[in-house]
Amino acid sequence: MDTLETRELRYFIAVAEELHYGRAAERLGMAQPPLSRAIQQLERRLGVSLLTRNRRGVSLTGAGEVLLHEGRAALDATTAAARRTRRAGGADRPGGPRERLVLAVKAAAAHELLHKLLDAYAAEPDAAEIEVLPSGTCEQGEMLRDGRADVALMHTPFNSVAGFDSEELMSEGQIAILPATHPLAARRTLSLADISDVPGLPLARWARDGTYTPGPGPEIHDQTQLAQLIALGRTLAVFPDSARAWLWAEHTAVPLTDAPPVVTHIAWPAHSRSLALAELIRTATRL
């Protein structure tokens, strides 16, 4: 049988991510024996072993690795379908709200471009309502995949637009954002080497795919936390040049001469058939 139920995928993914039946059962809010039976039944139906069980614990087989990757994508797709259907449904009711599009953006990035896009699109006849959803450094792609967002402004090389349709909107340099009182803030330009190992001023670390890269810098959870830590002289950060829009008086931005350019794209799911989204994209490419 080639069909899978979403319930089966949720069960398997929980076990595959926890690599422990007890923790997976607790996460799912169920007892362990029926979870074990469900996984065994899934393996029999598929005719493959998904998990290896031994005294050392649980590990994924090659087939299990494939199902974990494909299963996550499948669950994201069903969740996205439900979320986008609810958003579109309101516009079908007489006197109901306009169609709504959710636009995911990296907090404080491409600020001027975002303003221009929202103003230009609002002037279009029958424009949909745009909900702006601020996100972390690398969250926009996941928001598109699971339906939290319909469209996103994404920034390469920080984001990957692989798997999405996209249009390039602008390219810009990068800056180091430093405490205004730090000696490096007096420099006209800096290199990446200049800021890679500054005593007492480590680079801030953002989560990527839910994990933080190793390093001495503070783990950053939101823009306000970062701004305050820079102002206090506890960290520095690298951002696109357009981030100057959110700088505090206690910050200084210095251009980085050897950092790769940041390219801003508008990206959306490749299968989208939304007319409102198509008009938003046309508006963006005309800016």
Side-chain angles (χ1 to χ4, degrees):
M1 183 177 293
D2 293 331
T3 58
L4 293 171
E5 298 178 3
T6 56
R7 174 183 57 84
E8 293 176 309
L9 289 176
R10 284 197 300 271
Y11 287 2
F12 169 73
I13 289 170
V15 176
E17 290 180 342
E18 299 290 344
L19 293 178
H20 190 283
Y21 277 89
R23 290 194 298 269
E26 183 177 357
R27 168 174 154 182
L28 292 164
M30 64 187 297
Q32 183 174 333
L35 175 59
S36 298
R37 290 194 295 270
I39 298 299
Q40 291 168 1
Q41 181 181 4
L42 176 60
E43 289 178 316
R44 288 196 296 270
R45 287 178 56 218
L46 292 175
V48 297
S49 295
L50 300 170
L51 299 158
T52 301
R53 309 158 184 84
N54 54 43
R55 287 177 296 179
R56 291 183 303 232
V58 178
S59 60
L60 287 168
T61 64
E65 293 278 3
V66 170
L67 185 58
L68 176 59
H69 174 76
E70 298 288 346
R72 282 170 171 161
L75 285 184
D76 280 347
T78 58
T79 301
R83 285 171 169 162
R84 292 190 175 111
T85 299
R86 289 192 196 101
R87 285 200 289 273
D92 293 333
R93 297 191 295 270
R98 293 179 296 165
E99 183 176 350
R100 181 165 60 95
L101 296 174
V102 177
L103 170 61
V105 299
K106 178 182 172 182
H111 184 73
E112 184 178 352
L113 174 65
L114 178 59
H115 260 293
K116 290 180 179 178
L117 173 58
L118 294 176
D119 289 346
Y121 180 68
E124 294 292 332
D126 301 319
E129 176 186 352
I130 302 295
E131 177 186 341
V132 177
L133 183 60
S135 64
T137 301
C138 298
E139 294 178 345
Q140 299 97 312
E142 188 64 28
M143 289 176 169
L144 288 180
R145 280 186 285 271
D146 68 16
R148 284 176 288 168
D150 302 296
V151 59
L153 293 183
M154 300 173 71
H155 313 276
T156 58
F158 303 114
N159 301 126
S160 171
V161 295
F164 303 115
D165 284 344
S166 66
E167 290 283 350
E168 182 178 323
L169 300 183
M170 74 174 198
S171 179
E172 59 185 318
Q174 296 194 61
I175 54 175
I177 302 177
L178 304 145
T181 56
H182 195 277
L184 288 178
R187 298 270 295 273
R188 293 176 61 86
T189 60
L190 292 167
S191 68
L192 290 171
D194 291 332
I195 62 169
S196 63
D197 190 19
V198 181
L201 197 67
L203 275 164
R205 293 182 294 137
W206 290 91
R208 292 175 183 260
D209 299 321
T211 60
Y212 289 89
T213 56
E219 296 181 356
I220 301 301
H221 306 288
D222 58 56
Q223 199 77 29
T224 302
Q225 176 203 14
L226 174 64
Q228 186 169 31
L229 289 175
I230 294 174
L232 292 172
R234 301 301 179 90
T235 190
L236 63 86
V238 174
F239 268 82
D241 189 76
S242 55
R244 292 175 185 271
W246 62 264
L247 296 189
W248 296 4
E250 296 92 340
H251 302 156
T252 293
V254 181
L256 291 168
T257 56
D258 57 349
V262 175
V263 180
T264 299
H265 303 255
I266 187 167
W268 64 96
H271 61 269
S272 176
R273 297 295 181 268
S274 168
L275 295 178
L277 175 57
E279 184 57 40
L280 176 65
I281 294 160
R282 281 193 292 270
T283 301
T285 56
R286 290 197 297 261
L287 294 178

